[in-house]
Amino acid sequence: MRTFRLLPALGLFLSVLLTACDPNQVYEKNIDFDNYTWSVKQKPAFTFDIADTTQRYDVYFNIRNASSYGYYNLYVKHTLTDPANKQVSQLLHQMLLMDPQTGEPRGKGTGDIYDHQFLALPNQKFQRSGTYKIVLEQYMRQNQLPGLMAVGVRVAKTTTK
């Protein structure tokens, strides 16, 4: 049982280690769910600092799921607020975790665990420097959503203009 719980942590550690070498990365954090279940009441919040308002950024959502996740997709709503706590954006995202036709898992996987990174807010311009907050909510109309292991946010400088 301990070995099984270490595998997700090891995979997450390796993915963080590999992305830590990215000079464009501004922020990345993942939050694990207890019992691999995302409750509708859980609204993970991520805060990150923006210093350069002339730069454009790409905001990604990280999702880790087990093969036991019961759907091919995942709906997530984000709410982004600026340093003055003013809402910048709110949007519902559909992310395909599995191929809708074949049911084959997408993302990078080891065993029955799959990691996904979705470009959620491309070419984002932040008007003010300071600390921004993004809150994620699962929007699957199910109070307890089993098979979801972690969710996260990554912010990186946009490399193309």
Side-chain angles (χ1 to χ4, degrees):
M1 185 70 171
R2 272 190 182 192
T3 304
F4 179 74
R5 288 215 178 258
L6 287 177
L7 287 176
L10 180 61
L12 184 61
F13 173 75
L14 290 175
S15 68
V16 168
L17 184 63
L18 292 174
T19 59
C21 301
D22 182 357
N24 293 318
Q25 181 172 306
V26 174
Y27 172 85
E28 184 164 17
K29 183 177 179 183
N30 297 292
I31 295 175
D32 294 329
F33 296 121
D34 292 336
N35 302 316
Y36 304 148
T37 301
W38 190 353
S39 167
V40 75
K41 293 179 183 178
Q42 289 176 289
K43 297 177 183 179
F46 303 88
T47 56
F48 55 94
D49 292 323
I50 296 296
D52 184 355
T53 58
T54 64
Q55 174 70 48
R56 297 227 177 229
Y57 299 87
D58 291 328
V59 179
Y60 299 86
F61 295 162
N62 299 331
I63 305 292
R64 171 171 278 180
N65 69 287
S67 60
S68 62
Y69 179 68
Y71 303 96
Y72 72 90
N73 64 350
L74 173 65
Y75 285 101
V76 173
K77 182 173 86 171
H78 90 265
T79 304
L80 176 64
T81 53
D82 71 7
N85 206 27
K86 180 181 174 190
Q87 184 173 304
V88 174
S89 66
Q90 187 175 63
L91 189 64
L92 183 63
H93 305 266
Q94 177 183 209
M95 294 170 275
L96 298 179
L97 305 181
M98 297 173 204
D99 185 285
Q101 301 299 319
T102 66
E104 288 294 313
R106 293 184 173 181
K108 297 177 182 174
T110 55
D112 68 343
I113 299 169
Y114 299 93
D115 291 313
H116 311 265
Q117 192 167 76
F118 298 96
L119 179 56
L121 301 171
N123 208 26
Q124 179 73 40
K125 176 112 173 104
F126 294 100
Q127 300 296 327
R128 298 177 170 178
S129 61
T131 302
Y132 285 77
K133 180 179 176 182
I134 191 162
V135 176
L136 301 181
E137 301 175 56
Q138 66 99 333
Y139 229 68
M140 293 294 289
R141 299 182 187 185
Q142 185 173 332
N143 286 340
Q144 302 292 321
L145 199 54
L148 290 174
M149 304 169 79
V151 67
V153 169
R154 177 176 187 260
V155 179
K157 295 176 185 174
T158 300
T159 56
T160 57
K161 300 259 175 176

